[in-house]
Amino acid sequence: MASTGIKATEYPDLMKAFTDVKMKSRKHSAMVFHLSKEGKKVSLVYDETIPNSGKNEDDFTTLLGKFEDAKPAYGVFNVSTKTTDGRIQEKLVLISWCPDDAPALMKMPHAGTVGNLLKSFEGTYSSCFHAADKGDLTYEAVVKHCS
């Protein structure tokens, strides 16, 4: 997939939200943003951060509720799991939500922006979790992806 050249670092509000999710103070556990297309210009739009409720799976459910049918979006989620020796392990994962019924003219730039987002968001897990159907986008699947 060809890169769109869109970089999150060019959007200060988006980078601030990412820093808020990444910080160990953990006031926020996730963020949501999407691409906007006006004419030929495509840009990133920050939507919101999701406060940390203290229950990782509940925060994921809140994030999932922000992904709309037929509208591609991205999320960054702070996955918190226990290792086999009982330690808490946290990983930031970039989630690409691109439903099958989304307009083709939005699917292409959406997919072409993922690589630049992974580069811009230092500290995220090395690969993106892609989902086109909410049945594929489960807490268990994201945890498994980060393991």
Side-chain angles (χ1 to χ4, degrees):
M1 173 58 59
S3 173
T4 60
I6 297 171
K7 297 178 180 139
T9 53
E10 297 171 357
Y11 299 88
D13 55 340
L14 193 61
M15 292 309 295
K16 182 186 179 319
F18 174 73
T19 300
D20 288 347
V21 172
K22 183 178 174 181
M23 296 302 293
K24 292 296 181 192
S25 63
R26 303 270 292 123
K27 291 181 183 176
H28 299 96
S29 61
M31 63 183 276
V32 182
F33 56 103
H34 68 277
L35 288 177
S36 174
K37 187 171 183 187
E38 294 179 24
K40 291 186 178 188
K41 183 178 180 188
V42 179
S43 57
L44 287 169
V45 177
Y46 161 69
D47 293 320
E48 66 181 291
T49 50
I50 295 170
N52 182 359
S53 70
K55 295 181 180 174
N56 201 238
E57 194 165 352
D58 290 351
D59 293 345
F60 181 82
T61 301
T62 301
L63 172 65
L64 183 60
K66 304 299 180 183
F67 293 139
E68 300 174 26
D69 293 338
K71 182 181 176 188
Y74 304 99
V76 174
F77 182 63
N78 198 333
V79 179
S80 182
T81 60
K82 282 189 179 180
T83 61
T84 54
D85 62 359
R87 292 179 294 117
I88 298 293
Q89 183 177 36
E90 294 182 348
K91 290 184 180 177
L92 290 172
V93 62
L94 175 65
I95 298 171
S96 169
W97 166 247
C98 195
D100 290 333
D101 56 351
L105 290 175
M106 288 307 293
K107 285 182 178 183
M108 291 182 291
H110 180 89
T113 302
V114 169
N116 285 339
L117 291 174
L118 285 169
K119 290 177 189 173
S120 296
F121 294 146
E122 288 186 34
T124 53
Y125 190 65
S126 61
S127 66
C128 179
F129 184 89
H130 299 277
D133 181 272
K134 287 202 177 174
D136 298 332
L137 187 55
T138 64
Y139 180 74
E140 293 77 16
V142 171
V143 168
K144 183 177 179 181
H145 175 78
C146 291
S147 298

